[in-house]
Amino acid sequence: MKKKNHKYIFVVGGVMSSVGKGIAVASIGKILQARGLKVTAVKIDPYVNVDAGTMNPTEHGEVFVLDDGMECDQDMGNYERFFECDLSRANYMTTGSVYLSLIQKERNLEFKGRCVHVVPDVPLEVISRIEHVANREEADIVIIEVGGTVGDYQNVVFLEAFRLLKFKKPNDAILGLVSYVPALGTGGNELKTKPTQHAIRNLNSVGIHPDFVVARSPMSMDVKRKEKLEYMCGLHKGDIVSSPDVNNIYEIPFNFERDSLGDLLCKKLKLKSKIVDFSEWKRFVKKSKNATKEINIAVIGKYFDTGDFFLSDAYVSVIEAVKFSSIWSGAKTKLTWVNSKDYETNPKKISELKSFNGIVVPGGFGTSGVEGVIMAIKFARKNKIPYFGLCYGMQLAIIEYCRNVLGWKDAHTAEINPKSSHVVVDIMSKQKELLEENNYGATMRLGAYPAILKSGTIAYNAYGTKKILERHRHRYEVNPKFIQEIEKAGLIFSGMSPDGKLMEIVELPKSKHPFFLGTQFHPEFKARPLHPHPLFTAFIEACLKRNKKHEK
């Protein structure tokens, strides 16, 4: 069988971080997919952390979990959503994981006693991992995003990896720079190219020149500014692609296509440009523009005093999952971030929840604000407001029910009150020993696990199948000691592990509540633009029904 000639596109950032490299990579992949090419992506994070599992989401952004249990950067979620695929741990690396791998090889005498150097051994390890992904996935093109900016000292080894790969395969590797172009002047409409020029000089200083530039700016870059950047930086006509601010990130592939980025990449990589097929993606974007029904959803959490900007990063998968299901249901959804601590200080404030069509409690850890969340869950249950609890949101829903329906007033989770007489949510026995040693890495149930659904339940009707596979990220489970009593009191465990020991989904029957459901897993990680998650869709439909009642 003829060996596939893989192509590689490195994408680096200039001027500033958080400029949208992840969305740019996802959009580049989408326009190449539309040409019938098999595309995959690799994210390189320049952190010494081995993975993203121990990072604070309000500082770093959401910790995204893959099927194989890899805890990684939120950009991996962007890739999966745009590519409509499932990636693996092979598609993600950090400085820490690369160094750890090299040290383990050195300890195993795999270098046969020779000196191991930062250069070239670290860049060669990076190249080896990228080529492994290309071969494993039989990809036509691998797009590699390097986190941070070209000016970051810690990125030198990754830039060197590209230089070596380009030297090894001159016709198969190109590099793109995503650079911010600020707008100044009296009307804020004068685009300044100087910062990008400096970013390109930074690249030149390590022996690299960009093959194309994605110019991120508040507005489209005009021809004159493109020509100036081309002339000052030794770029060819057409090498500058404009990427103005948009309201809908899923329109960005169309913007790139209008600027002929797909043709440019195929030309530089010596690939035949095939017919572009965006039909399904266009249908999705059109649906998003034509949505008319309006629904308001409250997202209640414990960390919501950090500002909307940080929340959008920490809960990006939840936001997108709600968005996808809303769009395909013909709805425009407004999310309101509600700090649960407000209900603890002012219990009367909880009545504001009556004005919402639905309530979501996303995942989380720790003790802060928990009582406020439980109060909100009780309000949603008593007032028949559609409720969707994700991971911690399921656990707290069970605690609320045990306290206020079964009368177990001290019911709690072992995470907060291990001395309670009703620890209805407890830690998995296998993890206790690790936690006692203060070894918090790898102490969670991570990745995709199967579950069996009960017929006739909300969950079963939403999925339309008996067996499901969903992604987890948690340490605590429903305590089997209390399951029988909880079910007798009216809660239904509609999804459980194949052996029946782990409770995966809990719900109230429709006769008691229009939609009251919690999942031990994180369904948001499996939601896709063209394939919205069935549980989110069922929740949105329940919210729409409540909205109709309000209108009457």
Side-chain angles (χ1 to χ4, degrees):
M1 191 168 66
K2 188 179 178 182
K3 191 177 179 181
K4 202 160 194 173
N5 186 30
H6 310 291
K7 305 289 184 177
Y8 304 92
I9 303 173
F10 271 68
V11 176
V12 298
V15 180
M16 57 187 282
S17 59
S18 299
V19 76
K21 290 191 305 299
I23 297 298
V25 166
S27 299
I28 288 169
K30 198 70 198 173
I31 62 176
L32 292 170
Q33 269 188 341
R35 285 170 162 73
L37 295 163
K38 190 167 184 183
V39 179
T40 190
V42 172
K43 174 66 188 287
I44 301 174
D45 268 332
Y47 308 110
V48 180
N49 306 64
V50 174
D51 57 43
T54 55
M55 295 183 192
N56 187 335
T58 59
E59 293 178 17
H60 175 70
E62 173 186 74
V63 177
F64 192 79
V65 179
L66 304 178
D67 274 352
D68 60 14
M70 184 67 185
E71 296 174 285
C72 51
D73 182 85
Q74 63 179 318
D75 281 323
M76 296 293 285
N78 289 324
Y79 306 158
E80 286 199 343
R81 287 188 282 270
F82 272 74
F83 299 170
E84 293 272 330
C85 72
D86 295 328
L87 299 174
S88 75
R89 63 179 60 248
N91 297 81
Y92 182 70
M93 72 179 94
T94 65
T95 297
S97 67
V98 172
Y99 273 83
L100 182 61
S101 177
L102 280 174
I103 290 167
Q104 287 170 339
K105 287 179 181 179
E106 185 274 327
R107 293 289 85 188
N108 293 336
L109 295 179
E110 292 180 45
F111 291 101
K112 303 188 185 303
R114 76 167 174 85
C115 235
V116 184
H117 296 278
V118 172
V119 176
D121 291 304
V122 173
L124 288 174
E125 172 70 13
V126 171
I127 292 170
S128 173
R129 288 177 172 221
I130 292 168
E131 290 180 331
H132 169 69
V133 170
N135 292 322
R136 181 178 183 269
E137 301 189 22
E138 297 182 339
D140 295 309
I141 300 172
V142 183
I143 311 173
I144 303 100
E145 178 190 351
V146 180
T149 69
V150 296
D152 296 339
Y153 182 76
Q154 59 265 42
N155 275 338
V156 171
V157 288
F158 303 123
L159 297 176
E160 178 67 5
F162 170 75
R163 192 188 70 80
L164 292 176
L165 185 62
K166 180 78 171 177
F167 181 77
K168 180 182 174 184
K169 300 180 177 183
N171 297 318
D172 299 332
I174 60 174
L175 183 136
L177 174 71
V178 180
S179 186
Y180 186 64
V181 181
L184 301 175
T186 307
N189 56 6
E190 186 182 347
L191 294 173
K192 293 294 184 181
T193 64
K194 190 64 75 176
T196 299
Q197 292 178 43
H198 284 295
I200 291 173
R201 284 174 192 163
N202 266 332
L203 279 175
N204 295 159
S205 70
V206 292
I208 296 172
H209 195 70
D211 295 278
F212 66 97
V213 173
V214 175
R216 279 285 294 109
S217 54
M219 64 200 72
S220 293
M221 181 174 267
D222 57 281
V223 175
K224 287 292 181 186
R225 235 60 57 184
K226 284 185 179 182
E227 287 176 349
K228 182 178 180 181
L229 203 49
E230 289 162 359
Y231 177 76
M232 296 300 293
C233 299
L235 293 160
H236 298 290
K237 186 175 177 61
D239 286 350
I240 312 293
V241 176
S242 181
S243 183
D245 290 345
V246 293
N247 291 323
N248 183 353
I249 60 171
Y250 301 103
E251 292 185 43
I252 293 174
F254 303 142
N255 289 348
F256 283 177
E257 195 59 38
R258 277 192 289 271
D259 240 0
S260 302
L261 178 57
D263 292 336
L264 177 73
L265 296 175
C266 288
K267 180 182 174 182
K268 288 182 179 289
L269 291 169
K270 295 178 172 53
L271 291 166
K272 287 183 180 178
S273 185
K274 301 173 186 177
I275 296 171
V276 180
D277 181 11
F278 270 127
S279 54
E280 284 297 302
W281 203 255
K282 281 180 178 176
R283 193 161 76 92
F284 165 69
V285 172
K286 187 178 179 181
K287 286 278 288 182
S288 70
K289 290 179 177 179
N290 294 338
T292 54
K293 307 166 194 170
E294 291 188 359
I295 53 176
N296 295 307
I297 293 174
V299 185
I300 301 172
K302 304 153 4 72
Y303 316 117
F304 291 6
D305 42 14
T306 53
D308 285 357
F309 173 78
F310 295 103
L311 291 173
S312 62
D313 265 5
Y315 297 99
V316 63
S317 289
V318 174
I319 295 168
E320 296 307 295
V322 168
K323 186 186 296 181
F324 302 152
S325 290
S326 297
I327 288 168
W328 289 109
S329 298
K332 285 182 180 177
T333 300
K334 180 187 175 185
L335 296 179
T336 300
W337 304 100
V338 179
N339 191 335
S340 62
K341 297 171 193 171
D342 293 345
Y343 299 147
E344 294 176 353
T345 56
N346 183 11
K348 289 183 179 178
K349 196 174 186 292
I350 205 163
S351 61
E352 69 181 7
L353 293 178
K354 273 190 178 177
S355 63
F356 290 97
N357 306 116
I359 294 169
V360 173
V361 173
F365 299 91
T367 61
S368 175
V370 161
E371 292 304 320
V373 175
I374 291 172
M375 289 165 67
I377 294 170
K378 180 183 177 182
F379 191 88
R381 181 176 59 81
K382 299 279 281 184
N383 290 277
K384 297 190 178 347
I385 303 169
Y387 172 79
F388 195 9
L390 312 174
C391 197
Y392 209 24
M394 166 180 157
Q395 295 171 0
L396 295 180
I398 291 169
I399 291 166
E400 184 280 321
Y401 199 82
C402 289
R403 285 184 184 181
N404 298 307
V405 177
L406 281 88
W408 301 343
K409 296 303 179 184
D410 69 336
H412 228 311
T413 166
E415 183 179 4
I416 297 174
N417 184 12
K419 294 181 180 179
S420 164
S421 60
H422 294 93
V423 179
V424 294
V425 177
D426 204 355
I427 195 164
M428 296 180 286
S429 58
K430 291 179 182 178
Q431 316 304 339
K432 286 184 179 179
E433 190 176 324
L434 288 169
L435 287 175
E436 285 167 3
E437 296 171 2
N438 287 326
N439 182 3
Y440 284 86
T443 60
M444 290 192 279
R445 184 150 70 105
L446 289 166
Y449 285 82
I452 307 299
L453 305 182
K454 284 184 181 176
S455 299
T457 59
I458 293 172
Y460 180 85
N461 292 336
Y463 281 101
T465 185
K466 191 86 174 172
K467 189 175 182 179
I468 61 170
L469 193 69
E470 292 284 2
R471 295 178 185 178
H472 295 66
R473 185 176 185 255
H474 60 95
R475 290 190 180 91
Y476 296 85
E477 304 281 356
V478 179
N479 192 337
K481 179 181 173 183
F482 299 105
I483 288 172
Q484 194 174 352
E485 289 177 87
I486 293 170
E487 284 195 307
K488 194 181 287 185
L491 271 183
I492 300 170
F493 289 106
S494 55
M496 58 185 69
S497 61
D499 62 7
K501 292 180 180 179
L502 303 174
M503 302 300 106
E504 300 284 20
I505 306 175
V506 69
E507 62 182 73
L508 278 173
K510 269 205 163 184
S511 58
K512 291 187 177 179
H513 199 287
F515 189 98
F516 188 92
L517 185 144
T519 64
Q520 183 62 85
F521 50 84
H522 289 268
E524 66 270 24
F525 292 151
K526 300 282 273 186
R528 306 282 186 264
L530 305 184
H531 299 90
H533 195 283
L535 289 182
F536 275 94
T537 299
F539 170 66
I540 293 298
E541 287 172 356
C543 294
L544 283 167
K545 286 179 183 176
R546 177 176 168 81
N547 193 34
K548 279 184 181 178
K549 287 181 181 178
H550 278 197
E551 287 174 355
K552 287 178 183 179

